[in-house]
Each structure stands twice: as structure tokens, then as C-alpha cells.
Amino acid sequence: QRPVSKPYSPPIFDVKKTSCEIFVDSVHGANSNAGTISSPVKTIQHAVDVAAARNGAACVVQLRAGTFSQRDQVVMTEKHSHITIQNYNGEEVWVSGAVRLEGVEWEPFNIMNGMNIWKADLSTYNITSMQGLRVNGIRVSPARYPDANPETQMWPIGYLQSKKSDWLPSSPNAAHLVLINDTVEHTRSWDSQFRNYMGGIGGMCNNFDPPFSFFCQATRNFSVGCGGCDTYTIPSGFHFGDQLKKNYTHWQDGVLMAWRVAHWANWGFEFSSYDEVKRTFDFSRGGFQGSRGSYGSDGYIMN
């Protein structure tokens, strides 16, 4: 179980001696206001623009307590030089790129047999992708199997187990050796690694953009004595055996999140096919993380 975090105490900054202060309040402010402590503006962008119009004065933008939700970036150029943005007098301020979802109605999607999956219609928010979700400040993870709460439950809870033979063999196209420089000098007398700088184009690097990497060169064992310094290969699929306990009807949007062997780095794989009879998933792309190949270890399916 994760340790309990200490209560957060917002910083208190020294009040700068300046005649230029712009106060911002995300709840009670309005951009038509003067920007004083009793009549604050509403957005950070408007505040920095007002400060920039003060002919280069060293302005302080004071953020009042609350959360500032930013759908767009705060744009600042050279005209915004000498502006300080800070919370006011130790008040707790959050600047968030998240979209606040108000009045969301959650409906059960699958709450049978121990499942706890819910859904909500967010079409009015024009959200094209979702990198994360928090409900009442608590992180919510996408549906996954085996189920687990990533905030409180650690490995091995919520992971499929595997052995080396469960990972389907790699089937890369041949990589092309590209010799960039014959010798690379360095002064580390204790280190004989990476004396030659080489790289490979294609092969397993077809997953990358651009399709090039030191670890995709065709020469195997290209740095003797270096752990994992071998041509990059990743498995082409995963045999799950009898661990799923169910058939997947929407496997196309699934992702296998898995540890690499010995829990050294981890991977994410999208699926290209699902074979209920053979009990396998074939991978379409993934395995970039960690820059090392070989076979995998424990993981879970997320979709």
C-alpha cells in the first residue's frame, strides 16, 4: 500500500514592492474588472496581457485561491518580460490543463460478477482524446483486466502472470546496418562500451518515427559485456492461456501493458488480432518503452 502523503502547504512568497499588481480570481473574477484585489480579472491570459500593456513595468500577477482550468496555453512573448505569476499570500492555487466536467451523469455499464465499470456521455464537451480522469480529485484508471486500483494496490495484484514461452517470437524485417562513425573516443578508462557509433534502419525500428536506432543495427552483441546490448527485438504476441476467464468482444481498442523480463522497463502493445481458440493476442505496434527487447513478464489488459 502506498504511504499517505503529507498535507500540502502552498508557498508564501515575499510581497514584491511594485506598483503593478494584477489580481486574478477564477471563480469571482471577470475580465471586464480592473484587476484590483477587490475587483479581480478572471483568466491568467487576460492578466498577463494587462500587465504587458503597463509599458514594461515589473508586474506581479496574483492568483487567488482556486483552480484555473486552461483549455489553451497561456501565451507569453517578449512583451511579457519581467512579469511574475504567483499565488497570493499562501492561498492554495491549482493551474490545470484538465477540463472540468460539470453535472456528469454516470450510468452502470457492467457491474455484474464483481465488475465495476461505469459510463457517461461527454459529447457536449468536444473532447477528442482523454489522457486521464479524476473524480472528486481521485485518479480513475481505464477498465482493465485483472482489475486493480493503481493508487492502493501494487504488483502482483491486478497482473496476468507469464513465462518466457507465453511470448510469441519476434518476426522483424531485416535491419540495415548504417555505420555513422568508425570510432567514438571518450575518457572513461573503466568503460570499453560504445566505442563505435552505429545504427540500424528498418527491421524492428519500423515501429519508430524515424525508423532508426542504435539498438536496431543488424550486428548482434554489438557491445560485449553490456547487459541487454543486443539487436532490439520484441515479441509479436502473447499467449494468455486460461487466465482471462472471458472472451473479448471489443479487443480492437485494447492495450497490453506489460513489464519486460525481470521488470526492467515496461511496454505497451496494441492488438492486431485475437484468437479465442489459441488463446493469443497478436500485436500491431508498441514495445518502444525502455529501448530494449527480449520477452515480457507480468502485465494487464487495458481498454
Side-chain angles (χ1 to χ4, degrees):
Q1 184 171 342
R2 294 183 186 273
V4 177
S5 300
K6 295 181 179 180
Y8 172 69
S9 298
I12 300 177
F13 297 100
D14 293 335
V15 178
K16 295 189 175 183
K17 296 180 180 179
T18 175
S19 59
C20 179
E21 285 186 307
I22 310 296
F23 287 86
V24 196
D25 192 319
S26 62
V27 178
H28 305 291
N31 285 344
S32 57
N33 289 345
T36 62
I37 191 169
S38 59
S39 183
V41 300
K42 185 175 184 64
T43 66
I44 298 175
Q45 184 66 66
H46 185 74
V48 297
D49 289 342
V50 170
R54 299 287 178 89
N55 297 321
C59 292
V60 178
V61 173
Q62 303 276 17
L63 306 183
R64 301 303 306 269
T67 299
F68 292 82
S69 298
Q70 299 288 141
R71 286 298 294 266
D72 299 312
Q73 296 177 341
V74 176
V75 179
M76 301 182 71
T77 64
E78 63 275 6
K79 70 179 182 180
H80 296 89
S81 300
H82 310 296
I83 296 175
T84 299
I85 303 175
Q86 65 184 42
N87 64 318
Y88 173 69
N89 197 30
E91 295 182 353
E92 185 167 340
V93 174
W94 292 88
V95 179
S96 171
V99 178
R100 188 173 182 84
L101 307 176
E102 301 281 0
V104 174
E105 296 184 2
W106 292 92
E107 300 177 358
F109 178 77
N110 185 355
I111 56 175
M112 304 293 291
N113 300 319
M115 304 298 287
N116 189 30
I117 304 175
W118 295 69
K119 66 179 182 178
D121 183 1
L122 305 179
S123 57
T124 58
Y125 288 91
N126 193 30
I127 298 175
T128 57
S129 64
M130 185 176 293
Q131 305 301 319
L133 176 66
R134 290 179 179 267
V135 176
N136 298 326
I138 300 175
R139 179 165 64 110
V140 178
S141 64
R144 59 177 278 180
Y145 184 87
D147 193 21
N149 183 343
E151 295 287 352
T152 59
Q153 295 174 305
M154 303 292 102
W155 175 88
I157 299 174
Y159 283 81
L160 300 169
Q161 307 297 306
S162 75
K163 54 186 180 296
K164 184 176 181 179
S165 59
D166 291 328
W167 297 89
L168 306 187
S170 175
S171 54
N173 299 318
H176 301 286
L177 179 65
V178 179
L179 187 60
I180 305 298
N181 192 353
D182 188 26
T183 304
V184 178
E185 297 294 337
H186 59 65
T187 59
R188 302 188 300 272
S189 59
W190 49 267
D191 184 1
S192 62
Q193 309 299 330
F194 306 111
R195 291 288 185 175
N196 295 327
Y197 177 45
M198 298 175 288
I201 296 177
M204 294 310 299
C205 270
N206 284 329
N207 265 334
F208 305 158
D209 184 14
F212 171 84
S213 171
F214 178 89
F215 291 95
C216 282
Q217 58 183 283
T219 302
R220 300 185 65 83
N221 297 319
F222 42 77
S223 194
V224 178
C226 172
C229 292
D230 203 343
T231 303
Y232 174 73
T233 58
I234 53 175
S236 61
F238 176 66
H239 176 259
F240 52 81
D242 60 355
Q243 296 188 79
L244 292 192
K245 314 297 183 184
K246 61 178 292 185
N247 295 326
Y248 268 77
T249 56
H250 299 285
W251 58 266
Q252 293 88 345
D253 60 352
V255 175
L256 176 67
M257 305 299 298
W259 288 103
R260 184 182 163 273
V261 59
H263 288 197
W264 192 281
N266 49 29
W267 286 326
F269 291 102
E270 295 179 351
F271 299 141
S272 63
S273 65
Y274 164 58
D275 192 318
E276 178 184 344
V277 176
K278 294 182 179 179
R279 299 181 178 182
T280 58
F281 286 107
D282 290 322
F283 301 149
S284 58
R285 66 171 185 164
F288 325 119
Q289 304 88 343
S291 296
R292 293 186 176 185
S294 192
Y295 58 95
S297 182
D298 315 310
Y300 58 89
I301 298 170
M302 180 177 67
N303 64 349

